[in-house]
Amino acid sequence: MKIGLLALQGDYREHLQVLQTLGVETAEVRLSKDLEGIAGLIIPGGESTTIGKLAARYHLIEPLRVFARAKPVWGTCAGMILLAKEIGGEQPILGIMDIVVERNAFGRQVDSFQIDLEVPILPDGDSKTFPAVFIRAPRLVGVKGDAALIAQLPDGTGVAAQEGKWLATSFHPELTKDNRFHRYFLSLVEQRP
Amino acid sequence: MAKEDSATRGSGNSEKATATVKRGLAQMLKGGVIMDVVNPEQAVIAEQAGAVAVMALERVPADIRATGGVARMADPELIQKIMEAVSIPVMAKCRIGHFVEAQILEALGVDYIDESEVLTPADEMHHIYKHDFRVPFVCGCRNLGEALRRIGEGAAMIRTKGEAGTGDVVEAVRHARAVFGEINRLQLIRDDELMKYTKEIGAPFELVKETKELKRLPVVNFAAGGIATPADAAMMMQLGMDGVFVGSGIFKSDNPELRAKAIVAATTHYQNPEILAEVSRNLGEPMLGIEASSLPESAQLAKRGW
């Protein structure tokens, strides 16, 4: 089982390191041919406008949509923006998940923050909180259709969602030592033939 | 605030301006290009071309060299207008040691402060104590000791100094090789000899130890100072840098839009010579530049910083 990291820009190496400590084979995806043989894809944190533009310029948008229809995809922060169907602005996105996302929803960098969240779907999620790091983060303003909220801030703001084999988080599990989100994503990949 | 009872709600208190949060933004910028801009129009061109952030300043380094005089923090009005013009992070420069310029930039809400040798230093002995700030800082370095002193003061991101405003990549290469070379040699130094090495390079002991364990700097490390072409950017990436700053190189060239896009593509596809060849075609004239080795010592910006 090989997991791909969209490696156009952003903190893809942090994700690769977590996956490697879990003993998972990984691949960096920069062109559509790099998607061959991959069982699941992570779209990392980064600058969503940059990642979207590079994906469009190198003809990756449609191949990524085709990939996502068949296989699990997880987007963190910028990755969540790329997965959302609605982002309230003009920039290239995949637009596959039935979620409405607002970019830079918490303000500028001085308002970036970290907080421990309850995420019951995770292994030990009932008893152990998850350290969530928000960097100029987006938030969920709408979760529709088959998409479901899986984590919220204390004020109720939606910050993670799942829709079948697709996962989106406003925050960055790859910046922490807690690998439960990565293990959860791997379990989604393993469930599929 | 009434807290509703729900299984998916968070429980902890939120914390801002932690080291994780400050260093985290730099991690999100990796593999990207940060471009110097002097007005909102240039900022929009940079964003459209795929820049991950812009550096707001009054004059690009090439013009600071040309016009001379004291170079200071940009007018807050200009910085504000640039912040309003784009959705990507906006950085701004303050003078080395000028902690009040930094306070003003923090009040404006810029996303990163560059305590920069490109501006005229305000203090010839001390850099800003950056732990005091909520906004993260990036600082220049020429070698490992200088990088770790800045991190010790609270820098959340490092860049090589190179020689800004020259369009000559040679100094950026020298500084990148110095930092990586020293980190490589650090692996060979026994733990019981680390203190002596720490003394030699004038760096905080704990950070020397951490760098040895990590086999890299504890923060993100970008290339800067003299990058003018897609090939320059890709070379810095292949040397192991996390991303690039391009100062005068874009808006002092013939066709800024095209060159900006090309440098963004080259920074992503830095290991792909076919794409590098493609994006390097027909870019028009690069900035004219000055050979860095021809500069008299008084004109070498990289010498600033202690």
Side-chain angles (χ1 to χ4, degrees):
Chain A
M1 183 178 77
K2 200 196 281 181
I3 302 294
L5 247 305
L6 190 63
L8 297 172
Q9 189 273 320
D11 73 336
Y12 57 88
R13 289 209 174 90
E14 281 76 352
H15 276 290
L16 290 172
Q17 277 161 9
V18 180
L19 293 172
Q20 281 153 11
T21 59
L22 291 169
V24 177
E25 204 187 335
T26 57
E28 296 177 13
V29 176
R30 292 188 179 82
L31 298 169
S32 58
K33 66 177 168 62
D34 302 329
L35 287 166
E36 279 166 33
I38 285 169
L41 180 77
I42 300 176
I43 305 177
E47 182 44 54
S48 65
T49 57
T50 302
I51 297 172
K53 286 187 175 96
L54 283 161
R57 201 182 303 170
Y58 290 93
H59 315 293
L60 257 168
I61 300 275
E62 204 43 46
L64 286 171
R65 285 182 183 141
V66 171
F67 179 91
R69 276 197 280 274
K71 301 200 172 126
V73 180
W74 172 25
T76 60
C77 195
M80 173 195 258
I81 296 167
L82 272 116
L83 290 177
K85 275 188 182 160
E86 289 179 54
I87 59 164
E90 286 293 314
Q91 65 185 71
I93 52 169
L94 304 185
I96 54 172
M97 269 182 89
D98 227 348
I99 53 176
V100 186
V101 167
E102 181 191 355
R103 276 185 72 201
N104 298 336
F106 299 95
R108 306 197 70 97
Q109 171 62 14
V110 286
D111 299 308
S112 292
F113 62 100
Q114 56 188 94
I115 187 169
D116 291 334
L117 292 183
E118 286 168 22
V119 191
I121 54 146
L122 294 181
D124 306 321
D126 294 333
S127 55
K128 204 172 132 201
T129 57
F130 189 86
V133 183
F134 295 79
I135 311 279
R136 285 176 50 101
R139 67 180 176 125
L140 289 160
V141 291
V143 176
K144 304 176 181 175
D146 292 334
L149 215 50
I150 56 171
Q152 288 169 277
L153 294 178
D155 69 0
T157 303
V159 290
Q162 180 173 357
E163 182 178 349
K165 57 190 178 293
W166 302 323
L167 205 55
T169 54
S170 298
F171 48 91
H172 296 280
E174 74 278 13
L175 294 186
T176 72
K177 290 193 165 66
D178 193 324
N179 62 22
R180 284 179 294 157
F181 248 105
H182 288 82
R183 279 154 50 203
Y184 182 68
F185 178 67
L186 292 175
S187 76
L188 295 180
V189 179
E190 277 157 3
Q191 279 164 24
R192 313 197 70 80
Chain B
M1 228 187 321
K3 201 172 147 188
E4 289 172 58
D5 191 53
S6 164
T8 59
R9 303 250 162 137
S11 56
N13 295 318
S14 88
E15 260 191 294
K16 293 181 181 179
T18 59
T20 303
V21 164
K22 287 176 167 181
R23 294 174 181 188
L25 179 56
Q27 287 171 281
M28 298 312 137
L29 302 174
K30 290 201 302 181
V33 183
I34 300 167
M35 301 182 192
D36 276 5
V37 298
V38 299
N39 57 47
E41 294 73 33
Q42 289 187 352
V44 170
I45 291 171
E47 183 177 45
Q48 292 298 332
V52 288
V54 291
M55 177 75 71
L57 69 176
E58 212 128 328
R59 290 176 290 168
V60 294
D63 287 334
I64 291 175
R65 283 187 187 284
T67 51
V70 176
R72 309 178 179 91
M73 174 188 83
D75 185 333
E77 175 77 8
L78 173 72
I79 296 168
Q80 200 93 51
K81 284 198 169 131
I82 289 171
M83 287 165 62
E84 285 160 13
V86 294
S87 70
I88 57 178
V90 175
M91 302 184 166
K93 288 183 194 287
C94 72
R95 287 179 263 177
I96 288 174
H98 206 314
F99 49 86
V100 174
E101 283 188 349
Q103 290 164 7
I104 291 170
L105 293 175
E106 179 172 78
L108 289 173
V110 302
D111 296 296
Y112 243 91
I113 295 176
D114 183 3
E115 186 185 17
S116 176
E117 70 284 359
V118 167
L119 305 184
T120 310
D123 190 322
E124 292 193 327
M125 292 186 46
H126 309 103
H127 284 251
I128 296 170
Y129 189 67
K130 293 165 274 285
H131 291 291
D132 281 347
F133 289 79
R134 287 174 296 131
V135 60
F137 280 73
V138 54
C139 287
C141 78
R142 286 164 299 173
N143 51 51
L144 181 60
E146 196 173 17
L148 297 182
R149 285 194 293 281
R150 298 294 85 83
I151 297 168
E153 294 155 356
M157 177 179 184
I158 289 292
R159 56 173 174 75
T160 56
K161 287 183 177 170
E163 193 54 42
T166 61
D168 187 348
V169 79
V170 67
E171 293 300 310
V173 171
R174 185 195 314 280
H175 300 156
R177 286 202 186 269
V179 172
F180 291 126
E182 286 167 292
I183 293 173
N184 285 338
R185 287 190 291 278
L186 182 56
Q187 307 309 314
L188 306 173
I189 299 176
R190 289 161 47 114
D191 282 348
D192 61 0
E193 294 169 353
L194 271 186
M195 188 57 87
K196 177 173 173 285
Y197 180 71
T198 294
K199 190 178 162 192
E200 282 165 14
I201 67 167
F205 177 76
E206 289 304 324
L207 290 174
V208 172
K209 222 171 121 209
E210 191 182 351
T211 303
K212 184 184 171 186
E213 279 157 18
L214 293 172
K215 301 187 174 70
R216 59 157 293 142
L217 288 180
V219 302
V220 164
N221 182 17
F222 268 45
I227 293 150
T229 69
D232 289 347
M235 182 188 189
M236 299 314 298
M237 293 300 289
Q238 286 195 29
L239 282 172
M241 304 305 293
D242 292 319
V244 297
F245 282 88
V246 185
S248 319
I250 289 169
F251 289 100
K252 283 288 159 189
S253 74
D254 260 9
N255 190 335
E257 288 91 340
L258 206 56
R259 184 164 296 268
K261 275 175 87 168
I263 293 177
V264 168
T267 304
T268 290
H269 297 288
Y270 66 96
Q271 295 156 309
N272 188 325
E274 285 78 26
I275 290 181
L276 296 176
E278 185 56 41
V279 300
S280 299
R281 277 171 213 269
N282 298 318
L283 294 181
E285 283 296 311
M287 69 178 283
L288 180 58
I290 318 164
E291 213 176 298
S293 59
S294 71
L295 289 172
E297 197 167 326
S298 62
Q300 293 172 19
L301 303 178
K303 293 258 158 67
R304 298 165 166 181
W306 351 107

